[in-house]
Amino acid sequence: DEAEPQGHYVLAIALFFHREPDRALAEARRSVALEPNFAQGHQTIARMLTFSGDANGAINTLDAYIRLDPLFTGLTFYFLAEARVSLGQFDAAAAALKQQLDRNPNSATSYALLASCYGHLGRIAESRAAWAEVMRIAPNFSIEWQRRILPYRNPDDFERRVEGLRKAGLLV
């Protein structure tokens, strides 16, 4: 149904993970155009903007999402952290990840991104402690697997994550 926001939202997610970011973003925007208060649509647009290289737009969109859904999911903090990392705002990203981990203390991906942030900040012991949590939660965790599935338009945005881990001596 062309007039159903949820349908456009689901199609957006499918297109996004099939590496069609422009079509995906158009569908997500269509879902919000049909239902301006559709909070999940705003959250999805924000994530897509981060992966597309518009981290500032993602942060602004997440702000709109939080206003629409004051009981927002913990994943919102993770998405905010991803955008902050893309902008090189590692302190702010780490703060968002701590909030995410307060809500979901068993998120290996959150600990991995936190380890990267701490590596960038020169907080090596904290980076290694965060990475130890990754290995405790998900012993088979793989940065290379993340590289393959996360649809970053600009590979340098993902490499920023890897570089933080390298700075902490966690990757060769």
Side-chain angles (χ1 to χ4, degrees):
D1 181 355
E2 266 307 303
E4 174 57 44
Q6 191 74 22
H8 291 281
Y9 164 76
V10 172
L11 179 57
I13 292 170
L15 288 167
F16 194 65
F17 283 102
H18 279 94
R19 307 270 189 215
E20 296 186 50
D22 294 331
R23 284 186 57 206
L25 186 56
E27 289 297 330
R29 285 185 168 145
R30 177 79 177 131
S31 76
V32 169
L34 289 167
E35 178 55 58
N37 292 327
F38 182 40
Q40 277 186 304
H42 288 277
Q43 184 187 50
T44 300
I45 289 169
R47 188 118 198 256
M48 291 177 181
L49 289 172
T50 296
F51 287 131
S52 296
D54 183 5
N56 284 317
I59 291 166
N60 291 336
T61 304
L62 283 170
D63 288 343
Y65 164 72
I66 290 168
R67 283 191 303 277
L68 289 170
D69 183 4
L71 301 175
F72 59 89
T73 67
L75 267 177
T76 304
F77 291 119
Y78 182 79
F79 298 159
L80 180 59
E82 285 181 316
R84 298 274 186 214
V85 166
S86 291
L87 295 170
Q89 299 172 354
F90 303 113
D91 272 325
L97 288 163
K98 287 179 192 174
Q99 290 179 294
Q100 155 65 1
L101 288 164
D102 284 344
R103 291 184 178 202
N104 180 4
N106 290 312
S107 173
T109 55
S110 295
Y111 275 112
L113 192 54
L114 184 59
S116 175
C117 290
Y118 286 153
H120 280 290
L121 295 168
R123 296 163 61 178
I124 305 308
E126 290 166 284
S127 178
R128 291 182 179 171
W131 190 255
E133 287 298 307
V134 173
M135 293 294 102
R136 179 187 65 77
I137 296 164
N140 295 323
F141 186 88
S142 166
I143 290 296
E144 290 310 312
W145 179 77
Q146 278 200 320
R147 181 191 312 274
R148 284 193 307 273
I149 65 161
L150 295 176
Y152 279 99
R153 179 170 284 175
N154 179 353
D156 291 341
D157 288 337
F158 185 82
E159 286 306 312
R160 189 169 289 115
R161 294 173 173 223
V162 174
E163 183 59 30
L165 297 172
R166 282 192 186 112
K167 287 179 178 182
L170 296 167
L171 299 177
V172 218

